[in-house]
Amino acid sequence: MLQLLNIHKTFNPGTVNEKKALNGVSLDLAAGDFATIVGSNGAGKSTLFTAITGGFIPDEGSVILDGEDLTFLPEYRRSKTIGHLFQDPLRGTAPHMTIEENLALAYLRAGTHQNAFFSRISRADKERFREHLALLDMGLEDRMKQPVGLLSGGQRQALTLLMATLVTPKLLLLDEHTAALDPATAEKVLELTKSIVAEKKITCLMVTHNMHQALTLGNRTLMMDSGRIVFDVKGDERRGMTVDDLLEKFRQNAGQALDNDRILLSKAEG
Amino acid sequence: MLASIFSLNVIQTALELGCIYALVALALFISYSTLNIADLSTDGCFILGCAVACRVAQTGHPLLALPAAMVAGVLSGFITAFLQTRLGVESIMAGIIVNTGLYTVNLAVMGFASNLSLLKADTLFTLGKQLLSPVLGSWYALAIAAAFVAVACALVVLFLGTRLGLSIRATGDNAEMVRASSINPAFTITVGLCVSGSLTALSGGLLAQYQKSADINTGTGMVTIALASLIIGETLLGRGGRAGMVRRVFGVVVGSCLYRFVVAVALRFNVPAAAMKLVSAIIVAVAISAPTIRQRVAFEKRRRAAKAARAAKTGKEAV
């Protein structure tokens, strides 16, 4: 489904701030794959996502999704088939617009509405939005006329998730999308993610700092370091792995221990 | 004295001008309140509307003058948008550049004269007078201006409710989210500024026909005046997502009429016409800073109260 071929990206080349963010990343993700990505801060996880969504054009390499070369396609064209959630729950919604209006915008990604610039939100649309919102089980279906700015972070992230998957994307990118939420809400958003991804069979990449999650969610685990994928495990080998095995792998591949508090803490939880 | 200030005539003129200028405020409602862009080409665009409408009306087509002015406004808005979305010019700079350039363009449209007269030509209002004054008497001008504003407001409200309108609103709210909805923000900004340009120029076109003249200097400070109207309206009738779109747009018209009323009263008190720009600037400055001033006053009050309470308490303990 998703093919990344030898992607390189250097920020601020030729200056003291030069940073090789991606250093030859190649990845082949099969349709329906759900891969988790771990790695310490600055390993290039988010940069990899930005390369896929078109925030910048890589210095080298290409991005191919479902046989279509996206490498030089602008961001807004790619978003038709790629959903992207960030850690910050405020990034995915327009705060001064109502829930209903936000959903209507997300629904623009459906081809049928592409040219219907002057169409308005119909009763059928509202009914459809209401059904989808009810699935979130947050009572949002009765607040459709309220501005999104009034919702809590968790509610906004759940809404963003719904908006990203309202029109089924070919690829869903989750960049620590539950990290800024309280544990109970995080759990809830994660459950929603799992059920939506499973139901719609969406190919999915998810960055997490929770080692336990990295091994139990989805069917594949990737580890990144210094702009490269240093470890890639799936199938039986993955099923047999423990959090300690994963940390040990990291030590071997990166030549250093994981220095991130959050990772160590999440190890303790796992 | 008071009777003369609040005479029917004064109110009538204020409402007429208020309605005509409300279209500029409506334009800023789209560019400033909705898209979050301070479009400083408004002044030039307004005179462009005056100039184009004057030229077309002089040839004996006062009705055609308005669409012609609007097309000119769309072009002006398009250039401002093109500079900021495709060529990386900052939005404020784009407006200033276009505004400067428009000065020459406007002079050229006016045949390099600094003013044009419509005294000998038919205008929308002279035609309207013949048609409407048997029924409406001296209120015909207000009826014409109000009709234009009502139609423009209705169209703007309808437009902002469409998917394209929603995308434009979202662009000012969260451009990233617009991109994630497969819409190009460059496109929505362009459409928004074209619509706003056409409204500004329509206002200019109407004013030129109302006053039977166009002057190269009439537009100076138009941004400030329109902003004042917009802010008065938002302060009185609510702003942001909480107030409905109809209410917000209606507020813009109310604000514009109130502003004209304030000006009319000031003129009655023999404030020289040349001082009006300063009065406008002060109104805008006060209106924009009002929420902050109110907050500070409330804060000071609470601080004083807390201080007094503490003093009373320690006083009691000392006793």
Side-chain angles (χ1 to χ4, degrees):
Chain A
M1 176 60 82
L2 174 72
Q3 277 174 294
L4 302 178
L5 302 172
N6 194 29
I7 294 185
H8 285 264
K9 178 69 188 177
T10 306
F11 290 114
N12 308 313
T15 69
V16 284
N17 293 323
E18 184 173 298
K19 163 83 182 155
K20 270 196 178 156
L22 294 177
N23 203 355
V25 174
S26 294
L27 176 68
D28 203 331
L29 209 59
D33 261 0
F34 185 157
T36 55
I37 306 180
V38 293
S40 48
N41 291 334
K45 307 179 297 289
S46 298
T47 312
L48 180 68
F49 278 9
T50 319
I52 298 173
T53 57
F56 59 77
I57 293 168
D59 301 335
E60 254 183 75
S62 45
V63 180
I64 296 162
L65 182 66
D66 201 17
E68 191 190 355
D69 190 342
L70 303 181
T71 316
F72 296 102
L73 219 56
E75 203 175 348
Y76 73 92
R77 296 266 304 272
R78 299 188 198 196
S79 65
K80 236 172 137 51
T81 48
I82 301 177
H84 193 182
L85 262 71
F86 302 91
Q87 181 176 346
D88 181 355
L90 309 186
R91 279 177 79 171
T93 45
H96 295 101
M97 296 172 71
T98 64
I99 295 179
E100 178 179 288
E101 289 167 342
N102 271 275
L103 284 168
L105 281 172
Y107 202 63
L108 276 173
R109 287 166 49 242
T112 49
H113 285 268
Q114 176 67 14
N115 296 316
F117 271 141
F118 295 103
S119 66
R120 307 170 66 77
I121 303 175
S122 67
R123 195 165 295 172
D125 287 333
K126 285 184 192 176
E127 210 39 60
R128 189 179 311 119
F129 297 159
R130 176 180 284 277
E131 281 166 25
H132 281 285
L133 284 167
L135 294 178
L136 299 183
D137 194 24
M138 289 178 162
L140 297 184
E141 64 275 18
D142 299 320
R143 301 172 63 183
M144 295 204 336
K145 294 273 182 206
Q146 285 185 16
V148 169
L150 296 179
L151 305 186
S152 71
Q155 287 170 332
R156 272 180 89 164
Q157 198 66 314
L159 181 63
T160 311
L161 177 68
L162 181 60
M163 285 166 63
T165 55
L166 192 61
V167 176
T168 310
K170 288 179 180 168
L171 177 69
L172 181 63
L173 303 175
L174 305 168
D175 195 348
E176 286 196 71
H177 69 303
T178 61
L181 310 176
D182 70 73
T185 315
E187 189 58 37
K188 170 134 203 196
V189 171
L190 200 64
E191 285 305 318
L192 279 170
T193 311
K194 277 199 268 188
S195 69
I196 290 175
V197 168
E199 186 203 333
K200 300 198 170 192
K201 300 188 179 60
I202 305 170
T203 310
C204 188
L205 275 174
M206 171 171 160
V207 169
T208 178
H209 277 293
N210 183 320
M211 293 288 138
H212 182 67
Q213 254 179 27
L215 285 175
T216 51
L217 270 178
N219 62 346
R220 189 170 171 185
T221 301
L222 307 169
M223 182 178 281
M224 286 191 73
D225 185 64
S226 313
R228 262 187 296 245
I229 296 178
V230 291
F231 181 61
D232 180 351
V233 64
K234 57 184 166 188
D236 286 337
E237 191 189 351
R238 184 178 188 255
R239 270 188 286 278
M241 269 190 111
T242 62
V243 169
D244 285 321
D245 293 341
L246 195 61
L247 287 170
E248 181 53 31
K249 276 284 177 204
F250 192 91
R251 231 164 270 136
Q252 285 170 12
N253 285 300
Q256 66 186 61
L258 273 173
D259 53 353
N260 189 313
D261 286 349
R262 266 201 297 159
I263 292 177
L264 296 175
L265 284 172
S266 67
K267 181 204 157 197
E269 282 168 22
Chain B
M1 178 74 190
L2 269 180
S4 77
I5 289 171
F6 296 102
S7 75
L8 207 56
N9 199 6
V10 171
I11 294 173
Q12 191 180 352
T13 312
L15 285 176
E16 283 165 10
L17 285 171
C19 281
I20 292 174
Y21 285 110
L23 292 167
V24 193
L26 204 57
L28 259 74
F29 176 73
I30 291 175
S31 61
Y32 181 74
S33 301
T34 304
L35 273 175
N36 208 9
I37 289 172
D39 180 11
L40 295 184
S41 68
T42 302
D43 289 8
C45 187
F46 183 81
I47 312 167
L48 181 67
C50 289
V52 170
C54 253
R55 279 318 273 255
V56 178
Q58 277 180 338
T59 63
H61 298 284
L63 285 176
L64 191 63
L66 296 176
M70 287 174 81
V71 169
V74 168
L75 283 176
S76 156
F78 180 81
I79 294 169
T80 316
F82 187 80
L83 285 173
Q84 56 187 283
T85 56
R86 310 285 176 180
L87 300 181
V89 182
E90 276 225 43
S91 67
I92 292 208
M93 275 311 291
I96 293 172
I97 291 169
V98 170
N99 195 42
T100 309
L102 275 177
Y103 186 82
T104 309
V105 173
N106 293 338
L107 273 177
V109 171
M110 294 162 78
F112 291 98
S114 64
N115 52 56
L116 288 178
S117 164
L118 279 177
L119 284 175
K120 288 181 199 123
D122 277 335
T123 71
L124 194 64
F125 291 91
T126 57
L127 293 179
K129 189 174 181 182
Q130 287 165 16
L131 204 67
L132 297 175
S133 62
V135 191
L136 297 170
S138 68
W139 295 91
Y140 72 91
L142 179 59
I144 294 171
F148 271 93
V149 172
V151 171
C153 285
L155 287 179
V156 165
V157 170
L158 283 176
F159 175 65
L160 289 178
T162 63
R163 284 185 161 71
L164 180 57
L166 287 180
S167 317
I168 290 175
R169 286 172 55 200
T171 305
D173 212 9
N174 184 350
E176 190 174 33
M177 176 255 190
V178 172
R179 235 174 273 125
S181 307
S182 77
I183 304 284
N184 189 357
F187 169 71
T188 51
I189 288 175
T190 307
V191 174
L193 289 186
C194 285
V195 171
S196 121
S198 74
L199 286 172
T200 306
L202 172 64
S203 175
L206 275 176
L207 186 81
Q209 300 205 34
Y210 177 80
Q211 295 186 332
K212 285 181 162 273
S213 67
D215 189 295
I216 195 73
N217 292 320
T218 40
T220 314
M222 193 52 65
V223 175
T224 318
I225 291 166
L227 262 183
S229 313
L230 193 65
I231 290 162
I232 294 172
E234 284 188 342
T235 312
L236 290 180
L237 288 176
R239 61 189 302 172
R242 283 156 212 266
M245 198 45 80
V246 176
R247 194 184 157 101
R248 292 178 68 191
V249 168
F250 183 65
V252 170
V253 180
V254 171
S256 177
C257 290
L258 270 180
Y259 177 85
R260 285 297 142 188
F261 193 68
V262 171
V263 173
V265 170
L267 289 176
R268 277 279 156 161
F269 278 106
N270 293 328
V271 176
M276 283 322 297
K277 300 266 192 245
L278 178 60
V279 174
S280 313
I282 292 173
I283 291 176
V284 172
V286 169
I288 295 186
S289 55
T292 311
I293 293 172
R294 216 177 297 141
Q295 251 176 23
R296 293 205 74 136
V297 169
F299 172 77
E300 276 299 317
K301 244 188 207 159
R302 276 194 55 191
R303 208 172 61 103
R304 291 240 175 91
K307 213 171 160 186
R310 212 179 312 129
K313 205 173 156 200
T314 47
K316 239 180 252 165
E317 276 165 16
V319 171

